Amino acid sequence: MFKKMKERSTHFLAIAFVLGLFMGVNVSFLASAEEPAHKYLDYFHRIYQILRNEYVDQTDNKELFYGAMRGMIKSLDDPFSRFLDEESYEELREMTSGKFVGVGIEITTKDDEVVVISPIEDSPAMKAGIHAGDIITKVNDTRVKGMKLSEIVKLIKGLPKTRVNLQISREGYDEPIDVSMERASIKIRSVDYGVIDGHDAGYIRIMNFGNDTPSDVSKALKFFNQKKIDRLILDLRYNPGGLLSAAVEISDMFLEPAKVIVSTRGRDGVNPERVFKSENDPIGREKLVVLVNKGSASASEILAGAIRDNKRGTLVGEKTFGKGSVQKSYDLGDDVGVAITIAKYFTPSGECIHKVGIEPDEKVEPYKFLKDEMKYINQMTKDNIAEEYIKKDMEYSESSRIAFRSYLKSKDIQISDRSSDMILYNIINRYRKKPLYSIEFDDQLARGLEILKK
């Protein structure tokens, strides 16, 4: 019904350009080209011939052209536009199919640093304790600052059951944190949902926006309708985004017809403004709170912006990541392609949130360790104090909480009972299916439930 962010088409200009270098540049192409482009294409052709004929070692056509295309796209200074060689193109297919092999983190580059947008639910990265906002400084023994994103991804990926070591820098920690993970086949689950015990409220968590996400959300809403649930928490935290079409379809489920969901604007005369509006009667009519944080990006921000600007619900949490650009992929043939930013999107109020993010209606910080506790938390991380104590079959209960607090005191770790309990809860759940929600340590969810009760 709507155009997806991933589209396949033949990029004739690129093909004509490559053929021109081997067969003599087409005269009609040159006649229609602007003079500066003509001049620089000639430079390129001459450099290619010099390298082919004079370079000290034998050159490889494929590597020369791949390098040239990567360099051309890098000059855009846009981390989301990239050349897709055979390996990168396969990664794109894996992502759209919902399966890939790796550790399960969405990353980007910012100021030459590698920033974690979000770990994927139940992935090795999430189980190892990787957080949104972590900065990856090393992959195994390789420093990654300033490296191309595609090269970093190659370092992290590998065969299933092999290990990869990441060194990360985290806000509040004085020293780098070393994390070792076993690579695995990652199946990206799209949606989880259920009724929050004792609150008569529905809970939907969307982990990403893929092909199946709208149908999964529709099933959840129909389930709540059958249960006569009239209050809903929609959790978009740590959701790195996905398909534009999925965000539009899900927004349509909550809005009255003819409401603006999002608009996209590209270069004048090339990608004109497109306005996406709701078309159907809503199936989600519950009183609504949307949870967001700094790991909510791209399609997550489209949905959050549509809900906020149409006054359909209340946004609770932290400012979102701020990825407001739309990418389109072109198939160049032979399993290679290019992904290019073609437009920026704007919320219904006309706000461009790229590199800015969306401010929530109610700002609620997640639970954080006190400043005085940080030196003890650093010590625990460095010495693996909690990991050595906790066994895989340990249950989170009143008795285990009391025992763990006593253990930390014996190690001279001076932190609050709540901080101790949260550490225990998080590490225990690395080794089992994590509960759908936890109000005990989730101040954002707790505030959302308070708003729904009003």
Side-chain angles (χ1 to χ4, degrees):
M1 182 170 70
F2 297 97
K3 184 182 75 174
K4 297 179 181 177
M5 288 174 67
K6 179 182 182 298
E7 297 183 10
R8 297 175 60 130
S9 63
T10 305
H11 198 253
F12 294 107
L13 178 60
I15 295 172
F17 175 62
V18 172
L19 290 176
L21 292 175
F22 285 99
M23 302 170 61
V25 181
N26 186 282
V27 175
S28 63
F29 175 78
L30 287 181
S32 63
E34 294 180 359
E35 185 62 25
H38 176 191
K39 180 174 69 173
Y40 296 127
L41 285 171
D42 185 53
Y43 289 166
F44 188 98
H45 190 196
R46 290 167 63 187
I47 291 172
Y48 167 73
Q49 295 294 348
I50 291 169
L51 293 176
R52 288 285 294 162
N53 297 325
E54 303 289 344
Y55 184 65
V56 64
D57 294 322
Q58 184 70 33
T59 58
D60 180 272
N61 280 334
K62 176 180 175 180
E63 293 306 317
L64 286 177
F65 284 111
Y66 279 18
M69 288 184 280
R70 289 189 184 100
M72 194 188 319
I73 294 171
K74 185 178 180 181
S75 71
L76 302 173
D77 194 26
D78 174 15
F80 304 109
S81 293
R82 59 195 178 109
F83 171 66
L84 304 169
D85 59 18
E86 291 86 351
E87 188 171 347
S88 299
Y89 203 71
E90 180 60 28
E91 289 170 3
L92 181 62
R93 287 174 175 159
E94 289 175 346
M95 289 299 293
T96 54
S97 69
K99 294 181 181 179
F100 63 96
V101 175
V103 297
I105 47 174
E106 179 83 6
I107 60 175
T108 188
T109 53
K110 184 178 181 181
D111 300 327
D112 274 345
E113 293 184 318
V114 185
V115 182
V116 176
I117 297 176
S118 176
I120 294 170
E121 184 74 17
D122 284 340
S123 66
M126 178 164 278
K127 292 177 181 178
I130 299 292
H131 294 176
D134 284 347
I135 296 172
I136 301 175
T137 54
K138 280 186 181 181
V139 180
N140 294 323
D141 295 322
T142 303
R143 293 193 177 275
V144 296
K145 185 172 183 177
M147 288 180 62
K148 299 174 185 174
L149 195 61
S150 59
E151 294 176 348
I152 298 164
V153 170
K154 289 178 183 178
L155 289 174
I156 296 175
K157 290 187 65 177
L159 296 173
K161 296 188 177 181
T162 59
R163 299 196 73 82
V164 61
N165 302 312
L166 302 185
Q167 185 180 87
I168 62 173
S169 172
R170 181 176 296 164
E171 183 180 357
Y173 285 70
D174 297 330
E175 297 182 6
I177 301 171
D178 294 311
V179 181
S180 179
M181 292 167 283
E182 186 177 275
R183 299 179 178 100
S185 179
I186 308 296
K187 177 68 175 76
I188 305 176
R189 191 170 68 257
S190 179
V191 175
D192 266 350
Y193 62 92
V195 177
I196 299 178
D197 293 336
H199 291 269
D200 197 28
Y203 177 88
I204 301 178
R205 184 174 184 189
I206 305 178
M207 278 76 79
N208 64 83
F209 289 83
N211 289 315
D212 297 332
T213 309
S215 63
D216 290 342
V217 172
S218 177
K219 290 176 186 176
L221 292 175
K222 290 174 182 176
F223 169 80
F224 295 135
N225 287 339
Q226 292 173 354
K227 295 284 186 181
K228 307 296 183 184
I229 298 294
D230 61 0
R231 293 178 291 176
L232 178 64
I233 297 284
L234 183 61
D235 193 345
L236 303 179
R237 293 174 297 179
Y238 302 108
N239 183 323
L243 299 177
L244 169 64
S245 60
V248 169
E249 288 186 56
I250 294 168
S251 299
D252 196 354
M253 297 177 192
F254 292 97
L255 300 175
E256 296 294 334
K259 296 292 186 181
V260 174
I261 295 171
V262 67
S263 61
T264 62
R265 304 174 200 167
R267 189 198 304 177
D268 290 342
V270 179
N271 288 299
E273 181 179 19
R274 297 187 65 194
V275 179
F276 297 86
K277 295 183 178 182
S278 52
E279 298 180 351
N280 304 296
D281 290 331
I283 59 174
R285 295 183 176 275
E286 300 87 350
K287 185 176 180 181
L288 183 63
V289 165
V290 181
L291 304 182
V292 293
N293 68 359
K294 60 185 177 181
S296 307
S298 188
S300 299
E301 294 169 294
I302 289 175
L303 177 53
I307 296 298
R308 180 197 66 177
D309 287 0
N310 285 292
K311 302 187 184 304
R312 175 60 184 84
T314 304
L315 267 58
V316 173
E318 303 169 280
K319 185 169 74 171
T320 60
F321 182 82
K323 182 186 180 294
S325 59
V326 180
Q327 282 70 48
K328 181 178 179 181
S329 63
Y330 294 84
D331 182 358
L332 304 181
D334 296 327
D335 293 328
V336 296
V338 63
I340 299 295
T341 298
I342 61 166
K344 291 182 179 178
Y345 70 74
F346 295 77
T347 67
S349 64
E351 180 182 4
C352 179
I353 57 88
H354 193 57
K355 297 184 178 180
V356 177
I358 295 176
E359 290 284 356
D361 297 306
E362 287 219 20
K363 189 171 184 178
V364 180
E365 296 286 342
Y367 179 77
K368 293 181 178 180
F369 299 116
L370 299 174
K371 186 175 181 180
D372 293 343
E373 295 178 321
M374 285 309 302
K375 68 176 181 179
Y376 298 107
I377 301 299
N378 284 326
Q379 180 184 338
M380 289 180 66
T381 302
K382 183 178 180 181
D383 298 337
N384 291 320
I385 289 175
E387 286 81 354
E388 290 179 0
Y389 174 81
I390 295 170
K391 308 302 180 185
K392 289 189 177 183
D393 59 348
M394 186 175 289
E395 296 288 339
Y396 181 76
S397 63
E398 181 63 25
S399 60
S400 66
R401 291 196 295 269
I402 293 171
F404 186 61
R405 294 171 195 167
S406 177
Y407 167 75
L408 293 183
K409 288 177 182 177
S410 73
K411 295 288 187 178
D412 197 30
I413 302 297
Q414 300 176 32
I415 59 177
S416 70
D417 287 349
R418 192 182 186 205
S419 293
S420 170
D421 293 349
M422 187 174 73
I423 291 170
L424 177 69
Y425 175 86
N426 286 334
I427 296 182
I428 283 178
N429 283 300
R430 289 183 190 176
Y431 303 106
R432 63 188 70 200
K433 181 176 173 58
K434 195 171 184 178
L436 180 60
Y437 59 86
S438 172
I439 302 174
E440 181 180 1
F441 304 111
D442 193 339
D443 295 340
Q444 294 165 339
L445 174 58
R447 179 57 185 149
L449 291 170
E450 289 177 2
I451 292 172
L452 289 180
K453 288 181 179 179
K454 290 182 179 179

